[in-house]
Amino acid sequence: PEGLFSGKWGFIDRTGKEVIPLKYDNAQSFSEGLAAVAHYERLLDGKWGYIDRTGKEVIPLKYDFAEPFSEGFARVELNGKYGYIDKTGKQVIPLKYNYASPFSEGLARVKLNGKYGYIDKTGKQVIPLKYDGADDFSEGFARVKLNGREFYIDKTGKAYR
């Protein structure tokens, strides 16, 4: 079949020379020295991991989804749960969340049991999981929704209306 999931993915250098063979069913751009790549057994049923710039698989292809690294961590999904790994592949924040966003300004937005909050890079909940909706931090503030009202909070959780 034609389209996004036909053919193979690899990487070329700036001169057009193939430096990582076209052998993956999907691939994302390099970020912080690593790229998420996948092999599919069936359409949309792939296993994701990471390669370095030499093409070496440095983090095994075992996740249901993997995203580019951001601030030293990558968000990964396995069995419907999200968490974070470091560049060695070590799980640094458990895969327990119903949703998680990439780290932004040192914090990540996570969702558990229908509520959003924010964790730091140690996995510590720094802003309670109490919001009905939330955005990532940008320039020190994040928009959140609580009890039908939208407002902004700072990184300490202080509300600004």
Side-chain angles (χ1 to χ4, degrees), residues 2 54 78 128 131:
E2 296 284 327
T54 70
L78 187 61
Y131 298 102

Side-chain angles (χ1 to χ4, degrees), residues 2-141:
E2 296 284 327
L4 179 62
F5 297 104
S6 62
K8 296 291 180 179
W9 293 72
F11 293 85
I12 59 173
D13 66 16
R14 293 174 195 259
T15 68
K17 177 185 172 196
E18 184 179 293
V19 292
I20 297 174
L22 299 147
K23 67 178 186 175
Y24 295 101
D25 296 310
N26 205 339
Q28 296 183 13
S29 298
F30 275 89
S31 176
E32 299 185 14
L34 299 176
V37 294
H39 283 300
Y40 292 112
E41 292 180 23
R42 295 176 302 186
L43 188 63
L44 299 178
D45 188 20
K47 290 299 178 188
W48 289 81
Y50 294 84
I51 59 172
D52 65 16
R53 291 190 182 275
T54 70
K56 179 182 176 190
E57 291 179 9
V58 294
I59 299 174
L61 280 68
K62 66 180 184 178
Y63 296 102
D64 296 333
F65 190 71
E67 288 200 346
F69 276 84
S70 173
E71 299 186 14
F73 296 87
R75 177 185 84 142
V76 292
E77 177 190 358
L78 187 61
N79 300 320
K81 298 293 182 183
Y82 296 86
Y84 299 86
I85 60 173
D86 67 15
K87 291 182 187 178
T88 69
K90 179 182 174 191
Q91 189 181 120
V92 291
I93 298 173
L95 281 77
K96 67 178 187 177
Y97 296 102
N98 305 115
Y99 174 81
S101 71
F103 275 90
S104 173
E105 299 186 11
L107 299 177
R109 175 174 42 111
V110 294
K111 181 180 182 183
L112 190 61
N113 300 322
K115 297 294 182 179
Y116 290 91
Y118 298 85
I119 60 173
D120 67 14
K121 291 182 180 180
T122 69
K124 179 183 174 193
Q125 192 180 124
V126 294
I127 298 175
L129 280 76
K130 66 179 185 178
Y131 298 102
D132 302 315
D135 292 334
D136 293 334
F137 273 89
S138 176
E139 298 184 26
F141 294 93

